Amino acid sequence: AQNWVDREVPYCQCNGPEECCGSCPYCGTFRCDCSGYVTYCLQLPAGLNTNSLPLYATAITKDELQKGDFMDCVGDQVVFFAGWTDSSKTAYVVYQEPGCHTDGPHHAFKSVTTYPFGTNTCFKPYRRESLAAIESNAESAVDSTMASAKDLKEAFLQYPNLEKHSQEDKDKVVAQLRAHGKDLGYFTF
């Protein structure tokens, strides 16, 4: 995470110049947006977004947060947790790729924010699962009528124009996919 901060990797969704604040060295594999940054640093498959990152993670509590965990606001923003500022656990160091639409900076940077993420209460803490655990959970599913973990993840990643839907529609899709995955034992939310 610090490497992107040191290099001031600019925010870029890699979909054209209107969504880039500079030249992303990872377009073609990882995007240089918030989810591309977290995906890259956690060594997860390219192409994940704030909606699909929880498919590769376990929801945890505030008290369980450790350096390297992440805070995700599904459908909006994801950031790295880099440690509490003190024992009160009210503020933490965060790595983020904030976007061109913010006041700036428009590149990866490190700062301090209050929990969960300033005044935005949609952020929830997660810990990356090992890829072996994800595949093991998928293989343990006994209902052959249900989609495999791989198919579920791919379908979720390819959900058409998810970002253009209302927040209510996004929430419904995410809830359905989470419920489906939880029923199959793929991941815990």
Side-chain angles (χ1 to χ4, degrees):
Q2 186 63 46
N3 179 277
W4 279 38
V5 170
D6 293 343
R7 293 183 298 133
E8 295 186 348
V9 173
Y11 180 91
C12 183
Q13 289 188 342
C14 301
N15 291 330
E18 65 278 353
E19 297 175 5
C20 289
C21 304
S23 178
C24 172
Y26 302 105
C27 285
T29 55
F30 295 90
R31 296 176 317 278
C32 293
D33 59 5
C34 61
S35 51
Y37 180 36
V38 170
T39 299
Y40 177 87
C41 293
L42 292 178
Q43 300 177 348
L44 291 170
L48 299 179
N49 56 40
T50 58
N51 297 307
S52 55
L53 273 165
L55 298 175
Y56 290 85
T58 300
I60 59 174
T61 67
K62 175 183 178 180
D63 289 334
E64 293 173 306
L65 273 165
Q66 298 175 6
K67 292 179 183 177
D69 291 335
F70 62 96
M71 299 290 293
D72 191 27
C73 176
V74 173
D76 184 25
Q77 173 80 353
V78 62
V79 299
F80 268 116
F81 178 86
W84 295 109
T85 58
D86 62 35
S87 61
S88 70
K89 295 185 178 181
T90 57
Y92 63 99
V93 176
V94 61
Y95 286 94
Q96 61 180 305
E97 197 49 275
C100 299
H101 59 281
T102 63
D103 291 336
H106 301 127
H107 55 76
F109 74 99
K110 182 170 50 173
S111 63
V112 172
T113 190
T114 56
Y115 185 89
F117 189 71
T119 59
N120 193 333
T121 59
C122 72
F123 281 83
K124 307 292 183 221
Y126 291 92
R127 180 163 299 138
R128 177 197 188 273
E129 287 186 10
S130 72
L131 293 178
I134 292 167
E135 294 307 317
S136 173
N137 286 341
E139 291 171 10
S140 69
V142 295
D143 186 345
S144 62
T145 65
M146 302 299 278
S148 69
K150 181 177 183 275
D151 289 341
L152 180 64
K153 289 174 206 166
E154 288 173 358
F156 190 67
L157 292 174
Q158 295 173 10
Y159 184 78
N161 302 314
L162 185 63
E163 60 279 347
K164 294 180 183 177
H165 290 273
S166 71
Q167 188 60 47
E168 182 180 354
D169 288 344
K170 289 180 194 177
D171 292 343
K172 286 178 187 174
V173 169
V174 170
Q176 289 170 349
L177 289 167
R178 284 183 172 167
H180 180 66
K182 188 172 181 179
D183 289 344
L184 294 175
Y186 293 154
F187 38 79
T188 305
F189 287 97

